[in-house]
Amino acid sequence: MRWAGRSWVCVALLAAWTTAVPAHADQLSEKATLSFMEYAWSLTPEAFTKPNGETIQIDKSKKAEVLVPLDVAREVIRAGRMSAHAQVCELVQEQSDNHNSLMRRHVQSGKWTPQQIVYINQLHLTVVMLLTGRIKLVEKGEGDGQKEVVIEEGSTTSQTCTAEQKQKVKELIAAYVKTGPAVASSAPPTSTTSITKQKE
């Protein structure tokens, strides 16, 4: 999906996204966490269609009702960072298990509305896409010579993963998955977390 042409007002938000997420996402400041949340919210379409054909509408005028608390957002950001590391290290199964474990925890908690589950999924996806270079922040000139911040789909950045790093990522994800609900190998996430269509 291309996001070119969408403008962003908060330049500070962009700076937050160009900085690597720390090893422990709970170390993120409130300001940085809110920036991550705002960016993910900006990328959240107004409707998501699940594989079974059910469409979940997102009322973008009711942001406060969809966003999740800061501590939950930090958990999602941490999981997104691990998924990004798994992708760089080509740990396909671990990446899937990490994402599934995150989503099953929140779906099974019964705390969140379908719209909030969609947002949690979007926040995780946004972290992965930025840290692996799937989307990037650029500046484009306007007809009047001004600049605006826009997002364009990018290619995966050139990142390497040593054997030691790969093993570490596997261990961290295994430990995370072990503390959550059972995750069926290679099974897609439940509820709204597996989305095939996104409607603007």
Side-chain angles (χ1 to χ4, degrees):
M1 180 180 295
R2 295 192 62 81
W3 297 97
R6 294 193 175 191
S7 61
W8 310 102
V9 178
C10 183
V11 176
L13 177 63
L14 307 178
W17 279 98
T18 58
T19 303
V21 181
H24 299 288
D26 54 4
Q27 294 176 356
L28 280 176
S29 68
E30 179 177 335
K31 182 178 179 180
T33 302
L34 288 172
S35 294
F36 276 67
M37 295 174 70
E38 183 67 29
Y39 190 55
W41 172 251
S42 299
L43 294 180
T44 302
E46 295 180 356
F48 286 85
T49 301
K50 300 193 298 181
N52 64 5
E54 176 187 354
T55 297
I56 298 175
Q57 301 292 334
I58 307 295
D59 189 341
K60 299 303 287 282
S61 69
K62 297 182 178 180
K63 177 180 175 182
E65 296 181 10
V66 180
L67 266 59
V68 295
L70 285 176
D71 60 331
V72 177
R74 287 189 176 103
E75 178 198 347
V76 177
I77 292 169
R78 181 168 56 247
R81 182 176 185 273
M82 290 309 304
S83 289
H85 283 316
Q87 183 170 316
V88 170
C89 292
E90 298 182 342
L91 296 170
V92 178
Q93 185 60 58
E94 284 77 7
Q95 181 181 355
S96 176
D97 288 346
N98 187 65
H99 175 246
N100 286 347
S101 182
L102 170 73
M103 298 312 302
R104 288 177 189 275
R105 291 165 194 258
H106 292 294
V107 169
Q108 293 183 17
S109 74
K111 295 180 179 179
W112 317 115
T113 65
Q115 291 78 15
Q116 288 175 308
I117 291 296
V118 168
Y119 175 73
I120 289 171
N121 187 66
Q122 183 64 44
L123 179 57
H124 172 273
L125 175 62
T126 302
V127 172
V128 174
M129 292 177 72
L130 274 179
L131 295 185
T132 59
R134 289 296 182 183
I135 54 177
K136 59 183 179 180
L137 306 173
V138 300
E139 290 188 358
K140 281 191 173 183
E142 297 289 340
D144 57 5
Q146 296 181 351
K147 297 277 187 178
E148 72 170 348
V149 181
V150 300
I151 301 173
E152 292 184 339
E153 185 177 6
S155 58
T156 304
T157 56
S158 177
Q159 302 179 52
T160 60
C161 177
T162 66
E164 181 179 358
Q165 291 171 329
K166 187 172 185 177
Q167 182 60 35
K168 183 63 174 179
V169 172
K170 291 181 69 173
E171 292 174 356
L172 289 173
I173 290 180
Y176 175 66
V177 171
K178 187 177 181 179
T179 64
V183 176
S185 180
S186 300
T190 59
S191 188
T192 60
T193 62
S194 181
I195 299 169
T196 56
K197 297 180 182 178
Q198 298 186 19
K199 298 181 180 178
E200 295 294 340

Coordinates of all heavy atoms in Angstrom, one line a residue, residues 80-164:
G80 N 6.9 -5.6 18.4 CA 7.2 -5.2 17.0 C 8.7 -5.2 16.7 O 9.1 -5.6 15.7
R81 N 9.4 -4.7 17.7 CA 10.9 -4.7 17.5 C 11.5 -6.1 17.4 O 12.3 -6.3 16.6 CB 11.5 -4.0 18.7 CG 13.1 -3.8 18.7 CD 13.6 -3.1 19.9 NE 15.0 -2.8 19.7 CZ 16.0 -3.6 20.2 NH1 15.6 -4.8 20.7 NH2 17.2 -3.3 20.0
M82 N 11.0 -7.0 18.2 CA 11.4 -8.4 18.1 C 11.0 -9.0 16.8 O 11.8 -9.8 16.2 CB 10.9 -9.2 19.3 CG 11.5 -8.9 20.6 SD 13.3 -8.9 20.6 CE 13.6 -10.5 20.0
S83 N 9.8 -8.7 16.3 CA 9.4 -9.2 15.0 C 10.3 -8.7 13.9 O 10.6 -9.4 12.9 CB 7.9 -8.8 14.7 OG 7.0 -9.5 15.6
A84 N 10.7 -7.4 14.0 CA 11.6 -6.8 13.0 C 12.9 -7.5 13.0 O 13.5 -7.8 12.0 CB 11.7 -5.3 13.3
H85 N 13.5 -7.8 14.2 CA 14.7 -8.5 14.3 C 14.6 -9.9 13.7 O 15.5 -10.4 13.0 CB 15.2 -8.6 15.8 CG 15.7 -7.4 16.4 ND1 16.7 -6.6 15.7 CD2 15.5 -6.8 17.6 CE1 17.0 -5.6 16.5 NE2 16.3 -5.7 17.6
A86 N 13.5 -10.6 14.0 CA 13.3 -11.9 13.4 C 13.3 -11.8 11.9 O 13.8 -12.7 11.2 CB 12.0 -12.5 14.0
Q87 N 12.6 -10.8 11.4 CA 12.6 -10.7 9.9 C 13.9 -10.4 9.3 O 14.3 -11.1 8.3 CB 11.6 -9.5 9.5 CG 11.4 -9.3 8.0 CD 10.3 -8.4 7.7 OE1 9.3 -8.4 8.3 NE2 10.6 -7.5 6.7
V88 N 14.7 -9.6 9.9 CA 16.1 -9.3 9.5 C 16.9 -10.6 9.5 O 17.7 -10.9 8.6 CB 16.8 -8.2 10.3 CG1 18.2 -8.1 10.0 CG2 16.1 -6.9 10.0
C89 N 16.7 -11.4 10.5 CA 17.5 -12.6 10.7 C 16.8 -13.8 9.9 O 17.3 -15.0 10.1 CB 17.6 -13.0 12.2 SG 18.6 -11.9 13.2
E90 N 15.8 -13.5 9.2 CA 15.1 -14.5 8.3 C 14.6 -15.7 9.2 O 14.6 -16.8 8.8 CB 16.1 -15.1 7.3 CG 16.5 -14.0 6.3 CD 17.4 -14.5 5.2 OE1 18.0 -15.6 5.3 OE2 17.6 -13.8 4.2
L91 N 14.1 -15.3 10.4 CA 13.4 -16.3 11.2 C 11.9 -16.2 11.0 O 11.2 -15.6 11.8 CB 13.8 -16.0 12.7 CG 15.3 -16.2 13.0 CD1 15.6 -15.6 14.4 CD2 15.7 -17.6 13.0
V92 N 11.5 -16.8 9.9 CA 10.1 -16.7 9.5 C 9.1 -17.2 10.6 O 8.1 -16.6 10.9 CB 9.8 -17.4 8.2 CG1 8.4 -17.3 7.8 CG2 10.7 -16.8 7.1
Q93 N 9.4 -18.4 11.1 CA 8.5 -19.1 12.1 C 8.5 -18.3 13.4 O 7.4 -18.1 14.0 CB 8.9 -20.5 12.3 CG 8.0 -21.3 13.3 CD 6.6 -21.4 12.7 OE1 6.4 -21.9 11.6 NE2 5.6 -20.8 13.4
E94 N 9.7 -17.8 13.8 CA 9.7 -17.1 15.0 C 9.0 -15.8 14.9 O 8.3 -15.3 15.9 CB 11.2 -16.8 15.4 CG 11.9 -18.0 16.0 CD 12.3 -19.1 15.0 OE1 12.2 -18.8 13.7 OE2 12.8 -20.2 15.3
Q95 N 9.1 -15.1 13.8 CA 8.4 -13.9 13.6 C 6.9 -14.1 13.6 O 6.2 -13.3 14.3 CB 8.8 -13.2 12.2 CG 8.1 -11.9 11.9 CD 8.4 -11.3 10.6 OE1 9.3 -11.9 9.8 NE2 7.8 -10.2 10.2
S96 N 6.4 -15.1 13.0 CA 5.0 -15.4 13.0 C 4.5 -15.8 14.5 O 3.5 -15.3 14.9 CB 4.7 -16.6 12.1 OG 3.4 -17.0 12.2
D97 N 5.3 -16.6 15.2 CA 5.0 -17.0 16.5 C 4.9 -15.7 17.5 O 4.1 -15.6 18.3 CB 6.0 -18.0 17.1 CG 5.8 -19.3 16.4 OD1 4.8 -19.6 15.8 OD2 6.7 -20.2 16.6
N98 N 5.9 -14.8 17.3 CA 6.0 -13.6 18.1 C 4.7 -12.8 17.9 O 4.1 -12.3 18.9 CB 7.2 -12.8 17.7 CG 7.5 -11.7 18.7 OD1 7.7 -11.8 19.9 ND2 7.4 -10.5 18.1
H99 N 4.3 -12.6 16.7 CA 3.2 -11.8 16.4 C 1.9 -12.5 16.9 O 1.0 -11.8 17.5 CB 3.1 -11.5 14.9 CG 1.8 -10.8 14.4 ND1 0.8 -11.4 13.7 CD2 1.4 -9.6 14.7 CE1 -0.1 -10.6 13.5 NE2 0.1 -9.4 14.1
N100 N 1.8 -13.7 16.6 CA 0.6 -14.5 17.0 C 0.5 -14.5 18.6 O -0.6 -14.3 19.1 CB 0.7 -15.9 16.6 CG 0.4 -16.1 15.1 OD1 -0.1 -15.1 14.4 ND2 0.7 -17.2 14.5
S101 N 1.6 -14.6 19.3 CA 1.5 -14.6 20.7 C 1.1 -13.2 21.2 O 0.2 -13.2 22.1 CB 2.9 -14.9 21.3 OG 2.9 -15.0 22.7
L102 N 1.6 -12.2 20.7 CA 1.2 -10.8 21.1 C -0.3 -10.7 20.9 O -1.1 -10.2 21.8 CB 1.9 -9.8 20.2 CG 1.4 -8.4 20.4 CD1 1.8 -7.8 21.7 CD2 1.9 -7.5 19.2
M103 N -0.8 -11.0 19.7 CA -2.2 -10.8 19.4 C -3.2 -11.7 20.2 O -4.2 -11.3 20.7 CB -2.5 -11.0 17.9 CG -1.7 -10.0 17.0 SD -1.8 -8.2 17.5 CE -3.6 -8.0 17.5
R104 N -2.8 -12.9 20.4 CA -3.6 -13.9 21.2 C -3.7 -13.4 22.6 O -4.8 -13.5 23.2 CB -3.0 -15.3 21.1 CG -3.2 -16.0 19.8 CD -2.5 -17.3 19.7 NE -2.5 -17.9 18.4 CZ -3.5 -18.6 17.8 NH1 -4.6 -18.7 18.5 NH2 -3.4 -19.0 16.6
R105 N -2.7 -12.8 23.2 CA -2.7 -12.3 24.5 C -3.8 -11.3 24.7 O -4.6 -11.3 25.6 CB -1.4 -11.7 24.9 CG -0.2 -12.6 25.1 CD 1.1 -11.9 25.1 NE 2.2 -12.8 24.9 CZ 3.0 -13.2 25.9 NH1 2.8 -12.8 27.1 NH2 4.0 -14.0 25.6
H106 N -3.9 -10.4 23.7 CA -4.8 -9.2 23.8 C -6.2 -9.6 23.4 O -7.2 -9.2 23.9 CB -4.3 -8.1 22.9 CG -3.1 -7.4 23.5 ND1 -3.1 -6.8 24.7 CD2 -1.8 -7.4 23.1 CE1 -1.8 -6.4 25.0 NE2 -1.1 -6.7 24.0
V107 N -6.3 -10.5 22.4 CA -7.7 -11.0 22.0 C -8.3 -11.8 23.2 O -9.5 -11.6 23.5 CB -7.6 -11.9 20.8 CG1 -8.9 -12.6 20.5 CG2 -7.2 -11.1 19.5
Q108 N -7.5 -12.7 23.8 CA -8.0 -13.5 24.8 C -8.2 -12.8 26.2 O -8.9 -13.3 27.0 CB -7.1 -14.8 25.0 CG -7.1 -15.7 23.8 CD -6.3 -16.9 24.0 OE1 -5.9 -17.3 25.2 NE2 -5.9 -17.6 22.9
S109 N -7.6 -11.7 26.3 CA -7.8 -10.9 27.5 C -9.2 -10.4 27.7 O -9.7 -10.1 28.8 CB -6.8 -9.7 27.6 OG -7.2 -8.7 26.7
G110 N -9.9 -10.2 26.6 CA -11.2 -9.6 26.6 C -11.3 -8.2 27.0 O -12.4 -7.7 27.2
K111 N -10.2 -7.5 27.0 CA -10.2 -6.1 27.5 C -10.5 -5.1 26.4 O -10.9 -4.0 26.6 CB -8.8 -5.7 28.1 CG -8.4 -6.5 29.3 CD -7.1 -6.0 29.8 CE -6.7 -6.8 31.1 NZ -5.3 -6.3 31.5
W112 N -10.3 -5.5 25.1 CA -10.3 -4.6 24.0 C -11.4 -4.8 23.1 O -11.9 -5.9 22.8 CB -8.9 -4.6 23.3 CG -7.8 -4.7 24.2 CD1 -6.9 -5.7 24.3 CD2 -7.3 -3.7 25.2 NE1 -5.9 -5.4 25.3 CE2 -6.2 -4.2 25.8 CE3 -7.8 -2.5 25.5 CZ2 -5.5 -3.5 26.8 CZ3 -7.2 -1.8 26.5 CH2 -6.0 -2.3 27.1
T113 N -11.9 -3.7 22.5 CA -12.9 -3.7 21.4 C -12.2 -4.2 20.1 O -11.0 -4.2 20.0 CB -13.5 -2.4 21.2 OG1 -12.5 -1.5 20.6 CG2 -14.1 -1.8 22.5
P114 N -13.0 -4.7 19.2 CA -12.5 -5.1 17.9 C -11.6 -4.0 17.2 O -10.6 -4.2 16.6 CB -13.7 -5.4 17.0 CG -14.7 -5.9 18.0 CD -14.5 -5.0 19.2
Q115 N -12.1 -2.7 17.4 CA -11.3 -1.6 16.9 C -10.0 -1.5 17.5 O -9.0 -1.2 16.9 CB -12.1 -0.3 17.0 CG -13.4 -0.2 16.2 CD -14.5 -1.0 16.8 OE1 -14.5 -1.4 18.0 NE2 -15.6 -1.2 16.0
Q116 N -9.9 -1.7 18.8 CA -8.6 -1.6 19.5 C -7.7 -2.8 19.2 O -6.5 -2.6 19.1 CB -8.9 -1.6 21.1 CG -9.4 -0.3 21.5 CD -9.8 -0.3 23.0 OE1 -10.5 -1.2 23.5 NE2 -9.3 0.7 23.8
I117 N -8.3 -3.9 18.9 CA -7.4 -5.1 18.5 C -6.8 -4.7 17.1 O -5.6 -5.0 16.9 CB -8.3 -6.3 18.4 CG1 -8.7 -6.8 19.8 CG2 -7.5 -7.5 17.7 CD1 -7.5 -7.2 20.7
V118 N -7.6 -4.1 16.2 CA -7.1 -3.7 15.0 C -5.9 -2.7 15.2 O -4.9 -2.8 14.5 CB -8.2 -3.1 14.1 CG1 -7.6 -2.4 12.9 CG2 -9.2 -4.1 13.6
Y119 N -6.1 -1.8 16.1 CA -5.1 -0.8 16.3 C -3.8 -1.4 16.9 O -2.7 -1.0 16.5 CB -5.6 0.3 17.3 CG -4.5 1.3 17.6 CD1 -4.1 2.3 16.7 CD2 -3.9 1.2 18.9 CE1 -3.0 3.1 17.0 CE2 -2.8 2.1 19.2 CZ -2.4 3.1 18.3 OH -1.4 3.9 18.6
I120 N -4.0 -2.3 17.8 CA -2.8 -3.0 18.3 C -2.0 -3.7 17.2 O -0.8 -3.7 17.2 CB -3.2 -4.0 19.4 CG1 -3.7 -3.3 20.7 CG2 -2.1 -5.0 19.8 CD1 -4.4 -4.2 21.7
N121 N -2.7 -4.4 16.3 CA -2.1 -5.0 15.2 C -1.4 -4.0 14.3 O -0.3 -4.3 13.8 CB -3.2 -5.8 14.4 CG -2.6 -6.7 13.3 OD1 -1.8 -7.6 13.6 ND2 -2.8 -6.3 12.1
Q122 N -2.0 -2.9 14.1 CA -1.5 -1.8 13.2 C -0.2 -1.2 13.9 O 0.8 -0.9 13.2 CB -2.5 -0.7 13.0 CG -2.0 0.4 12.1 CD -1.7 -0.2 10.6 OE1 -2.5 -0.9 10.1 NE2 -0.6 0.2 10.1
L123 N -0.2 -1.1 15.2 CA 1.0 -0.5 15.9 C 2.1 -1.5 15.7 O 3.3 -1.1 15.4 CB 0.6 -0.3 17.3 CG 1.8 0.2 18.2 CD1 2.3 1.5 17.7 CD2 1.3 0.4 19.7
H124 N 1.9 -2.8 15.9 CA 2.9 -3.8 15.7 C 3.5 -3.7 14.3 O 4.7 -3.7 14.1 CB 2.4 -5.2 16.0 CG 3.3 -6.3 15.7 ND1 3.3 -6.9 14.5 CD2 4.2 -7.0 16.5 CE1 4.3 -7.8 14.4 NE2 4.8 -7.9 15.6
L125 N 2.6 -3.7 13.3 CA 3.0 -3.7 11.9 C 3.8 -2.5 11.6 O 4.8 -2.6 10.8 CB 1.7 -3.8 11.0 CG 1.9 -3.7 9.5 CD1 2.8 -4.8 9.0 CD2 0.6 -3.6 8.8
T126 N 3.4 -1.3 12.1 CA 4.1 -0.1 11.8 C 5.5 -0.1 12.3 O 6.4 0.3 11.6 CB 3.3 1.1 12.4 OG1 2.0 1.1 11.9 CG2 4.0 2.4 12.1
V127 N 5.7 -0.7 13.5 CA 7.0 -0.8 14.1 C 7.9 -1.7 13.2 O 9.0 -1.3 12.8 CB 7.0 -1.4 15.5 CG1 8.4 -1.7 16.0 CG2 6.3 -0.4 16.4
V128 N 7.4 -2.8 12.8 CA 8.1 -3.7 11.9 C 8.5 -3.1 10.6 O 9.6 -3.1 10.1 CB 7.3 -5.0 11.7 CG1 8.0 -5.9 10.6 CG2 7.1 -5.8 13.0
M129 N 7.5 -2.4 10.0 CA 7.7 -1.8 8.7 C 8.8 -0.7 8.7 O 9.6 -0.6 7.8 CB 6.4 -1.2 8.1 CG 5.4 -2.3 7.8 SD 3.8 -1.6 7.2 CE 4.3 -1.0 5.6
L130 N 8.8 0.1 9.8 CA 9.8 1.2 9.9 C 11.2 0.6 10.2 O 12.1 1.0 9.6 CB 9.4 2.1 11.0 CG 8.4 3.3 10.5 CD1 8.0 4.2 11.7 CD2 9.0 4.1 9.4
L131 N 11.3 -0.3 11.1 CA 12.6 -0.9 11.5 C 13.2 -1.7 10.4 O 14.4 -1.9 10.4 CB 12.5 -1.6 12.8 CG 12.1 -0.8 14.0 CD1 12.1 -1.6 15.3 CD2 13.0 0.4 14.2
T132 N 12.4 -2.2 9.5 CA 12.9 -3.0 8.4 C 13.0 -2.3 7.1 O 13.4 -2.8 6.0 CB 12.1 -4.3 8.2 OG1 10.8 -4.0 7.9 CG2 12.2 -5.2 9.4
G133 N 12.6 -1.0 7.1 CA 12.7 -0.2 5.9 C 11.5 -0.3 4.9 O 11.7 0.1 3.8
R134 N 10.4 -1.0 5.3 CA 9.3 -1.1 4.4 C 8.6 0.2 4.1 O 8.0 0.4 3.0 CB 8.3 -2.1 4.9 CG 8.8 -3.6 4.9 CD 9.1 -4.1 3.5 NE 9.5 -5.5 3.5 CZ 9.8 -6.1 2.4 NH1 9.7 -5.5 1.2 NH2 10.2 -7.4 2.5
I135 N 8.7 1.1 5.0 CA 8.2 2.4 4.8 C 9.3 3.4 5.3 O 10.1 3.1 6.2 CB 6.8 2.7 5.5 CG1 6.9 2.4 7.0 CG2 5.7 2.0 4.9 CD1 5.6 2.8 7.7
K136 N 9.3 4.6 4.7 CA 10.3 5.5 5.0 C 9.8 6.9 5.0 O 8.7 7.2 4.5 CB 11.5 5.4 4.1 CG 11.2 5.7 2.6 CD 12.4 5.5 1.7 CE 12.1 5.7 0.3 NZ 13.2 5.6 -0.6
L137 N 10.5 7.8 5.7 CA 10.0 9.2 5.8 C 10.9 10.0 4.8 O 12.1 10.0 4.8 CB 10.2 9.7 7.2 CG 9.5 8.8 8.2 CD1 9.8 9.3 9.6 CD2 8.0 8.8 8.0
V138 N 10.2 10.8 4.0 CA 10.9 11.6 3.0 C 10.3 13.0 2.9 O 9.2 13.2 3.5 CB 10.9 11.0 1.6 CG1 11.5 9.6 1.6 CG2 9.4 10.9 1.1
E139 N 11.0 13.9 2.2 CA 10.4 15.2 2.0 C 10.2 15.4 0.6 O 11.0 15.0 -0.3 CB 11.4 16.3 2.6 CG 11.5 16.3 4.1 CD 12.3 17.5 4.5 OE1 12.8 18.3 3.7 OE2 12.4 17.7 5.7
K140 N 9.0 16.0 0.2 CA 8.7 16.3 -1.2 C 8.4 17.8 -1.3 O 7.8 18.4 -0.5 CB 7.5 15.5 -1.6 CG 7.8 14.1 -1.9 CD 6.6 13.4 -2.6 CE 6.9 12.0 -3.1 NZ 5.8 11.4 -3.8
G141 N 8.9 18.3 -2.4 CA 8.7 19.7 -2.7 C 7.3 20.0 -3.3 O 6.8 19.2 -4.0
E142 N 6.7 21.1 -2.8 CA 5.4 21.4 -3.3 C 5.5 22.4 -4.5 O 6.6 22.9 -4.7 CB 4.5 22.1 -2.2 CG 4.3 21.2 -1.0 CD 3.3 20.1 -1.4 OE1 2.5 20.3 -2.4 OE2 3.3 19.1 -0.7
G143 N 4.4 22.7 -5.1 CA 4.5 23.7 -6.3 C 5.0 25.0 -5.9 O 5.6 25.8 -6.7
D144 N 4.7 25.4 -4.6 CA 5.1 26.8 -4.1 C 6.5 26.7 -3.5 O 6.9 27.7 -2.8 CB 4.1 27.3 -3.1 CG 3.9 26.4 -1.9 OD1 4.6 25.3 -1.9 OD2 3.0 26.6 -1.1
G145 N 7.2 25.6 -3.6 CA 8.5 25.5 -3.1 C 8.6 25.0 -1.7 O 9.7 24.8 -1.1
Q146 N 7.5 24.9 -1.0 CA 7.5 24.4 0.4 C 7.7 22.9 0.4 O 7.6 22.2 -0.5 CB 6.2 24.8 1.1 CG 6.0 26.3 1.2 CD 4.7 26.6 1.9 OE1 3.9 25.7 2.2 NE2 4.5 27.9 2.2
K147 N 8.1 22.5 1.6 CA 8.3 21.0 1.9 C 7.2 20.5 2.7 O 6.7 21.2 3.6 CB 9.6 20.8 2.5 CG 10.8 21.2 1.7 CD 11.2 20.2 0.7 CE 12.6 20.5 0.0 NZ 13.0 19.5 -0.9
E148 N 6.8 19.2 2.5 CA 5.9 18.5 3.4 C 6.5 17.1 3.7 O 7.2 16.6 2.8 CB 4.5 18.5 2.9 CG 4.3 17.5 1.7 CD 2.9 17.3 1.3 OE1 2.0 17.7 2.1 OE2 2.6 16.8 0.3
V149 N 6.2 16.6 4.8 CA 6.6 15.3 5.1 C 5.6 14.3 4.6 O 4.4 14.4 4.9 CB 6.8 15.1 6.7 CG1 7.3 13.7 7.0 CG2 7.8 16.2 7.2
V150 N 6.1 13.3 3.9 CA 5.2 12.3 3.3 C 5.8 10.9 3.6 O 7.0 10.8 3.9 CB 4.9 12.5 1.8 CG1 4.3 13.8 1.6 CG2 6.2 12.4 1.0
I151 N 5.0 9.9 3.3 CA 5.5 8.6 3.5 C 5.4 7.8 2.2 O 4.4 7.9 1.5 CB 4.7 7.8 4.6 CG1 4.7 8.6 5.9 CG2 5.2 6.4 4.8 CD1 3.8 8.0 6.9
E152 N 6.4 7.1 1.9 CA 6.4 6.3 0.7 C 6.8 4.9 1.0 O 7.6 4.7 1.9 CB 7.4 6.8 -0.4 CG 7.0 8.2 -1.0 CD 7.9 8.6 -2.1 OE1 9.1 8.1 -2.1 OE2 7.5 9.4 -2.9
E153 N 6.3 3.9 0.3 CA 6.7 2.6 0.5 C 8.2 2.4 0.1 O 8.5 2.8 -1.0 CB 5.8 1.6 -0.2 CG 6.1 0.1 0.0 CD 5.1 -0.8 -0.7 OE1 4.3 -0.3 -1.5 OE2 5.2 -2.0 -0.5
G154 N 9.0 1.8 0.9 CA 10.4 1.6 0.6 C 10.7 0.1 0.5 O 9.9 -0.7 0.9
S155 N 11.9 -0.2 0.1 CA 12.4 -1.5 0.0 C 13.1 -1.9 1.3 O 13.4 -1.0 2.1 CB 13.4 -1.7 -1.1 OG 14.5 -0.8 -1.0
T156 N 13.2 -3.1 1.6 CA 13.9 -3.5 2.8 C 15.3 -3.0 2.9 O 16.0 -3.1 2.0 CB 13.9 -5.1 2.9 OG1 12.6 -5.6 2.8 CG2 14.5 -5.5 4.3
T157 N 15.6 -2.4 4.0 CA 17.0 -1.9 4.2 C 18.0 -3.0 4.3 O 17.7 -4.1 4.7 CB 17.1 -1.0 5.5 OG1 16.7 -1.8 6.6 CG2 16.2 0.2 5.4
S158 N 19.2 -2.7 3.9 CA 20.3 -3.7 4.0 C 20.8 -3.9 5.4 O 21.5 -3.0 5.9 CB 21.4 -3.3 3.0 OG 22.5 -4.2 3.1
Q159 N 20.3 -4.9 6.0 CA 20.7 -5.2 7.4 C 21.3 -6.6 7.5 O 20.8 -7.5 6.8 CB 19.5 -5.0 8.4 CG 18.9 -3.6 8.3 CD 17.8 -3.5 9.3 OE1 17.9 -3.8 10.4 NE2 16.6 -3.1 8.8
T160 N 22.2 -6.8 8.4 CA 22.8 -8.1 8.6 C 22.5 -8.7 9.9 O 22.1 -8.0 10.9 CB 24.3 -8.0 8.4 OG1 24.9 -7.2 9.4 CG2 24.7 -7.6 7.0
C161 N 22.6 -10.0 10.0 CA 22.3 -10.7 11.3 C 23.3 -11.8 11.5 O 23.4 -12.7 10.7 CB 20.9 -11.3 11.3 SG 20.4 -12.2 12.7
T162 N 24.1 -11.6 12.5 CA 25.1 -12.6 12.8 C 24.5 -13.9 13.4 O 23.3 -13.9 13.8 CB 26.2 -12.1 13.8 OG1 25.6 -11.9 15.1 CG2 26.8 -10.8 13.3
A163 N 25.2 -15.0 13.4 CA 24.7 -16.2 14.0 C 24.4 -16.0 15.4 O 23.4 -16.6 16.0 CB 25.8 -17.3 13.8
E164 N 25.2 -15.3 16.1 CA 25.0 -15.0 17.6 C 23.7 -14.2 17.8 O 22.9 -14.5 18.7 CB 26.2 -14.2 18.1 CG 26.0 -14.0 19.6 CD 27.2 -13.2 20.2 OE1 28.2 -13.0 19.4 OE2 27.2 -12.9 21.4

